[in-house]
Amino acid sequence: VLAQASLARSQSSVLAAMTRRSARATRSLAGLALVGLAAKRWGGPAYAVKGSWEGAPSTLKGEDSDSILKGLEPTVNLPPITFKREGLALSVQDGRLVADYATKFGDDKTLELRVNDEEDWQAGLRTDDASLRVRGHGRSLDNLFWEASQSGSVDGVGDVSLEFNSDKDYNLTVSQQQLGAVLGAELGGKVRATRDGWTGRLEAERQLPGGAALRYSVENPVGVYNLEQSTHVGQLSVPVADGQANLRVSHQDSAQNYEGSYTRGVQGGTADVRVSYKNDAVGYNVSYARDLSDVLSQLASTVHVGTDDQGVYGKVTAKRDVADLNAEYEATARMPLGGDAGPELAHALKLSNSLGYAQLLHGSDQSPRLRVGYEFNA
């Protein structure tokens, strides 16, 4: 009720201010009418019209409402206008005239060309497994840039991809997801070579009894071949008591990190327990999240509560249709553990329909704020 009353007062104040400045409003509406008439004449794609304002609710009581009207002035995002025929396309994009031409020859070859009114141009030739793209400006070849790529599969080697350009940069990647099996573990790998050196990644995965899985990977940074500086990751996943337990151990930059988690369904929701040890610090997060729509049939609502190494937190959301409006409410809270900081509270109520919205926001670290706006496709 308070939100609806606030919305009514907001609309009354805004309408009053717009009445005092009828000339400005008339110009805005006339502009919208012309754009709408043009869209009807062209029959092109839809464009978005929007405007918004945010400020203290007390601003609506003041005589000076320039900021409100300024924010609510319509902003129109026009779509590109395109005409196509037999491979040739003319379009207006971001205020620029662009010409595109595309044609196919042979079984799988495509030639593409793009030029705009600033003499920027792009040309490309592509097939199913290769491509060449060139771009430049005008007739000068000083700023010419090209890039090419080719990919394929080689028996006994794997998938091969090569990318290179006029700056002499290149990427050569060879990957094989099935290198073989060692002690029941499936092996896969990938190697990538660049101008700065090469990097490789080796993966191993083994399925264990009871639905458990064990994974391991090692990868070196580009151009660094010291095994101690490589990233090692080991992970064990085990189904436990109708839930899933995971243990992850990683070694990177001479640092050892540990992460453990356990998730399972509890009373229609999800319980999640996480513990970690990173950078010589212990972290944890215990939470429970549940959709309350089955309990509160008239509301689409959720609840999320938990505690971590920073404090206790919670979040509640609710949505419901009220007459011709959509009502949304959200509240968040956090209580820090230790220190002098007090609790952090915030909530927001939003009423909206297909044309506009009004939202009231308030928190422990900010004064009440009102956000009013509209957005629709014309």
Side-chain angles (χ1 to χ4, degrees):
V1 173
L2 289 175
Q4 289 178 335
S6 176
L7 176 60
R9 290 195 300 269
S10 302
Q11 293 173 335
S12 299
S13 300
V14 172
L15 289 175
M18 291 180 68
T19 302
R20 292 193 299 269
R21 293 159 178 80
S22 59
R24 182 187 301 176
T26 301
R27 288 194 298 270
S28 300
L29 292 175
L32 284 176
L34 290 175
V35 174
L37 179 61
K40 182 177 180 181
R41 178 70 177 270
W42 294 336
Y47 55 89
V49 180
K50 60 183 178 179
S52 63
W53 171 85
E54 180 177 345
S58 58
T59 305
L60 301 176
K61 300 178 182 179
E63 293 297 328
D64 186 6
S65 302
D66 286 344
S67 62
I68 302 176
L69 288 174
K70 186 66 177 177
L72 293 177
E73 285 182 347
T75 301
V76 181
N77 295 327
L78 292 174
I81 301 174
T82 305
F83 301 90
K84 295 182 180 180
R85 184 173 182 180
E86 298 179 355
L88 178 63
L90 293 176
S91 61
V92 177
Q93 301 178 11
D94 298 327
R96 297 295 180 188
L97 180 63
V98 180
D100 290 278
Y101 177 74
T103 184
K104 288 188 176 183
F105 60 97
D107 295 333
D108 62 345
K109 301 177 182 63
T110 301
L111 175 65
E112 299 171 324
L113 177 64
R114 162 170 286 201
V115 182
N116 65 19
D117 56 6
E118 290 188 322
E119 297 188 11
D120 296 322
W121 58 267
Q122 300 178 20
L125 179 64
R126 56 184 171 85
T127 64
D128 292 340
D129 56 4
S131 69
L132 172 63
R133 291 190 173 276
V134 186
R135 67 173 183 263
H137 178 78
R139 300 180 181 180
S140 174
L141 300 180
D142 295 337
N143 58 350
L144 189 69
F145 177 82
W146 59 263
E147 55 186 352
S149 66
Q150 187 170 14
S151 61
S153 182
V154 180
D155 292 339
V157 177
D159 297 329
V160 180
S161 174
L162 176 62
E163 301 172 345
F164 54 101
N165 59 35
S166 55
D167 292 336
K168 300 187 182 338
D169 296 322
Y170 69 89
N171 275 297
L172 173 62
T173 304
V174 180
S175 61
Q176 177 59 267
Q177 299 300 320
Q178 297 179 348
L179 289 173
V182 176
L183 300 176
E186 298 292 334
L187 301 180
K190 181 173 69 174
V191 176
R192 180 169 63 92
T194 71
R195 191 169 64 173
D196 298 324
W198 64 270
T199 176
R201 177 183 176 89
L202 178 65
E203 300 176 342
E205 180 176 354
R206 180 176 179 179
Q207 299 298 319
L208 302 176
L214 181 63
R215 300 177 181 86
Y216 171 78
S217 67
V218 57
E219 182 175 3
N220 71 292
V222 175
V224 179
Y225 312 118
N226 185 349
L227 194 60
E228 287 295 324
Q229 295 180 278
S230 298
T231 300
H232 303 257
V233 178
Q235 183 172 341
L236 175 64
S237 301
V238 182
V240 178
D242 298 328
Q244 187 73 21
N246 294 282
L247 176 62
R248 186 177 187 271
V249 180
S250 62
H251 177 87
Q252 184 177 9
D253 296 331
S254 302
Q256 201 83 3
N257 299 320
Y258 304 88
E259 299 176 64
S261 66
Y262 178 71
T263 59
R264 66 166 294 180
V266 178
Q267 295 294 320
T270 302
D272 192 337
V273 180
R274 298 178 181 271
V275 181
S276 64
Y277 179 79
K278 296 180 180 180
N279 301 323
D280 297 327
V282 177
Y284 66 89
N285 192 340
V286 181
S287 66
Y288 178 75
R290 191 184 193 285
D291 190 329
L292 301 177
S293 299
D294 58 335
V295 178
L296 305 173
S297 58
Q298 301 298 322
L299 288 175
S301 55
T302 62
V303 61
H304 187 189
V305 294
T307 179
D308 56 23
D309 50 290
Q310 301 297 320
V312 181
Y313 61 89
K315 179 179 180 181
V316 176
T317 64
K319 297 181 181 180
R320 183 180 179 179
D321 292 336
V322 180
D324 295 331
L325 298 174
N326 299 320
E328 301 178 28
Y329 178 76
E330 178 181 300
T332 59
R334 173 173 282 275
M335 175 68 76
L337 297 178
D340 299 330
E344 302 173 6
L345 305 174
H347 62 103
L349 177 62
K350 181 178 181 180
L351 298 176
S352 62
N353 58 20
S354 58
L355 294 179
Y357 63 88
Q359 187 177 27
L360 183 63
L361 307 98
H362 190 203
S364 55
D365 59 345
Q366 64 177 2
S367 59
R369 304 283 291 177
L370 181 63
R371 185 179 297 161
V372 182
Y374 60 91
E375 181 173 357
F376 58 90
N377 288 328

